[in-house]
């Protein structure tokens, strides 16, 4: 009879321990318990203000002073200033290709000449334009995957590489 009580006590103890414990996650899931649900990618920003804020933060990280200018549903504008000058920046969503084409036509109509173009496999395209005095650059860029257009105007020659670096930091 003593043996029956020992087995009964051991069974109760095992039951109590299993009820209070949690399963140990597999090493490949970084500490999260395994699930059968499919995971989804984090949603990309949807508005011009969201994309504009990402770009403004990238300029801020490079020690530019940011001043918001204008925000509406599909257009976000701000100024970025440093010791080399003030940049006028706008970010638009909705018709990136059309906005890009319009900007590039506008630049060439204002006596700016295409200087350099960057493309990558992720749907980003960026073109810099130099004015006829060889002193001011403008950049037109688009993210075709997310339908976002970026325009940066009044870039000093000494600041161009830094601006390109900022654009590279957001995917270009």
């Amino acid at each position: 009879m003593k043996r029956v009580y020992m087995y009964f006590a051991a069974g109760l103890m095992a039951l109590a321990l299993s009820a209070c414990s949690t399963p140990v996650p597999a090493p490949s899931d970084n500490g999260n318990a395994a699930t059968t649900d499919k995971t989804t990618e984090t949603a990309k920003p949807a508005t011009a203000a969201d994309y504009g804020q990402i770009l403004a933060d990238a300029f801020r990280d490079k020690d530019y002073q940011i001043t918001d200018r204008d925000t509406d549903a599909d257009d976000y504008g701000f100024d970025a200033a440093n010791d080399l000058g003030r940049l006028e920046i706008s970010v638009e969503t909705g018709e990136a290709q059309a906005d890009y084409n319009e900007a590039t036509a506008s630049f060439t109509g204002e006596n700016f000449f295409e200087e350099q173009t960057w493309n990558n496999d992720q749907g980003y395209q960026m073109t810099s334009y130099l004015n006829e005095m060889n002193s001011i650059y403008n950049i037109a860029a688009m993210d075709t995957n997310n339908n976002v257009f970026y325009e940066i105007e009044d870039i000093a020659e000494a600041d161009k590489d830094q601006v390109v670096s900022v654009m590279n930091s957001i995917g270009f």
Side-chain angles (χ1 to χ4, degrees):
M1 183 80 175
K2 189 175 185 180
R3 206 178 268 229
V4 172
Y5 286 117
M6 277 186 9
Y7 287 126
F8 182 70
L12 284 176
M13 184 181 265
L15 182 61
L17 287 174
S18 67
C20 295
S21 66
T22 58
V24 176
S28 64
D29 65 14
N30 299 324
N32 296 325
T35 64
T36 57
D37 295 337
K38 291 184 179 180
T39 58
T40 58
E41 265 186 49
T42 303
K44 296 265 186 177
T47 68
D50 294 332
Y51 286 104
Q53 195 58 51
I54 290 168
L55 184 58
D57 289 344
F59 273 102
R60 197 174 284 112
D61 289 345
K62 298 286 187 176
D63 297 324
Y64 286 81
Q65 299 298 314
I66 305 301
T67 305
D68 291 340
R69 287 186 305 145
D70 188 26
T71 303
D72 61 38
D74 61 353
D75 187 10
Y76 180 79
F78 64 94
D79 294 338
N82 65 8
D83 58 341
L84 297 173
R86 182 184 57 81
L87 309 174
E88 287 187 33
I89 302 168
S90 66
V91 179
E92 299 175 29
T93 55
E95 297 180 12
Q97 186 67 58
D99 292 336
Y100 183 85
N101 294 342
E102 181 182 326
T104 58
S106 171
F107 292 158
T108 56
E110 296 170 6
N111 294 324
F112 279 79
F113 302 96
E114 185 174 327
E115 190 249 350
Q116 188 172 2
T117 297
W118 299 263
N119 291 305
N120 70 21
D121 296 337
Q122 285 77 41
Y124 293 96
Q125 182 175 342
M126 181 168 65
T127 305
S128 65
Y129 290 82
L130 178 62
N131 72 349
E132 64 185 4
M133 308 274 298
N134 293 329
S135 58
I136 300 292
Y137 291 87
N138 289 345
I139 290 180
M142 68 176 162
D143 169 359
T144 57
N145 292 327
N146 297 301
N147 207 14
V148 183
F149 168 72
Y150 301 86
E151 183 176 37
I152 306 170
E153 295 182 325
D154 303 330
I155 305 166
E157 184 175 11
D159 203 18
K160 180 189 168 230
D161 290 339
Q162 180 80 345
V163 172
V164 170
S165 172
V166 169
M167 294 302 287
N168 287 338
S169 75
I170 65 164
F172 286 87

